[in-house]
Amino acid sequence: MIDKVKDTELEIVVVNLERSVERRQNMVRLLEPLGLPYSFFDAVDGRKERHSSFDHFDERLAEVRRGFILNAGELGCFASHYLLWERSVRENKPLLIFEDDVVLNDKFVEAYHFAARKIERYGLLRFSGHKRRHWATCERLDHSMRIVRFERGPHGTSCYAVSPKAASKLLAKAAIWFEPVDCHLDRFWTHGVGSYGISPLPVTHAAETAEQSEIWQGGQREKKSRRFRRLRAIYRARDDIGRFLSNLPYVGRWKEPNEA
């Protein structure tokens, strides 16, 4: 049964670099026919400027915790999402944040309206994910769509809805940056914003190569530093415990990624 709660105003905001004119045009062609409110946000171009928010980045902690240093593109990506979380809090308005390299499926508009009704309840709703994860059903939206809780974060920031309350929590735990922004988003046991999403995911990330993506690393990333391996193992174990405790309410409910 479809929930009759009135939609919350949910503005679509597309993160787009000023120099990526073709991508902006593609997103206009994608979104304009839908008749939904949207705007563009000029992304922080880490390759051209050192934004003041980069002061949040701790290189040593990044090497200790992750084994690598964030590159300029990743810093710009984190800064862009960080600024939009601040905007959500400042304007007290939920946002549906897009990156500009996506494909929409035929259920996107329905998913948008469901998210507009549910975002204040769940705080964060992923519309996309780079990895397939075990999941548990939270509620059915109709016969073909549901809200799910992911056992592990699905990675990626191609598209997600966030409420002001959830954005405030994400900001509170982002005083120090040491990992890519999607990893921070996935860290539900730390910031307390649940790893929820709409299934099937209505948005697909299109960029898979260095030519297609502004921040893609893939095989270009250097091997993880061997320094601090013992410390990384300790932090990893602590994260595993935090994730396990946060997932306790869902024990026995997890479904395989390929289950309908």
Side-chain angles (χ1 to χ4, degrees), residues 10-232:
L10 184 59
E11 181 187 348
I12 295 171
V13 181
V14 182
V15 180
N16 170 258
L17 290 168
E18 184 179 3
R19 57 183 163 83
S20 297
V21 177
E22 185 176 350
R23 287 188 177 210
R24 181 174 294 225
Q25 293 171 343
N26 288 339
M27 290 302 294
V28 170
R29 285 192 288 269
L30 199 65
L31 295 173
E32 192 66 29
L34 304 181
L36 300 173
Y38 74 92
S39 63
F40 285 91
F41 175 81
D42 290 332
V44 176
D45 193 342
R47 293 169 179 167
K48 292 182 64 176
E49 63 175 310
R50 192 191 186 288
H51 194 268
S52 59
S53 65
F54 291 4
D55 290 341
H56 289 283
F57 179 53
D58 186 325
E59 287 192 12
R60 185 180 184 279
L61 188 59
E63 190 176 0
V64 170
R65 298 290 299 269
R66 305 295 298 189
F68 58 82
I69 305 301
L70 299 189
N71 63 46
E74 288 169 320
L75 287 174
C77 185
F78 204 133
S80 299
H81 287 270
Y82 185 93
L83 292 172
L84 284 173
W85 300 340
E86 287 188 325
R87 173 176 161 182
S88 175
V89 173
R90 182 174 64 252
E91 298 180 359
N92 192 31
K93 183 169 67 175
L95 301 174
L96 180 60
I97 299 172
F98 265 99
E99 292 180 348
D100 60 3
D101 51 356
V102 299
V103 176
L104 310 184
N105 73 16
D106 58 4
K107 285 285 191 177
F108 172 78
V109 174
E110 288 180 64
Y112 168 88
H113 289 295
F114 283 135
R117 297 180 190 125
K118 300 293 184 178
I119 188 57
E120 295 295 348
R121 176 176 178 181
Y122 289 97
L124 175 70
L125 287 170
R126 308 291 274 268
F127 274 54
S128 68
H130 292 183
K131 294 183 179 293
R132 296 172 65 82
R133 300 299 198 190
H134 289 85
W135 52 270
T137 296
C138 296
E139 64 175 297
R140 288 190 174 275
L141 300 171
D142 63 14
H143 68 281
S144 64
M145 211 179 303
R146 60 171 68 89
I147 291 179
V148 300
R149 166 67 149 73
F150 297 106
E151 183 182 22
R152 288 173 174 262
H155 284 334
T157 51
S158 295
C159 187
Y160 63 95
V162 64
S163 72
K165 184 176 180 180
S168 180
K169 292 180 179 180
L170 294 172
L171 288 167
K173 293 297 183 180
I176 299 176
W177 302 354
F178 62 88
E179 60 188 348
V181 65
D182 60 335
C183 295
H184 177 69
L185 207 62
D186 288 343
R187 192 174 284 279
F188 56 86
W189 62 95
T190 300
H191 49 57
V193 179
S195 187
Y196 299 106
I198 292 182
S199 178
L201 292 168
V203 175
T204 302
H205 179 237
E208 296 294 344
T209 69
E211 291 74 21
Q212 291 173 309
S213 176
E214 300 289 352
I215 65 168
W216 185 85
Q217 284 300 298
Q220 293 183 359
R221 189 184 292 288
E222 296 180 1
K223 291 183 178 179
K224 282 192 175 184
S225 167
R226 300 182 66 178
R227 299 196 306 163
F228 311 118
R229 282 190 300 180
R230 186 172 298 176
L231 276 175
R232 281 204 299 279

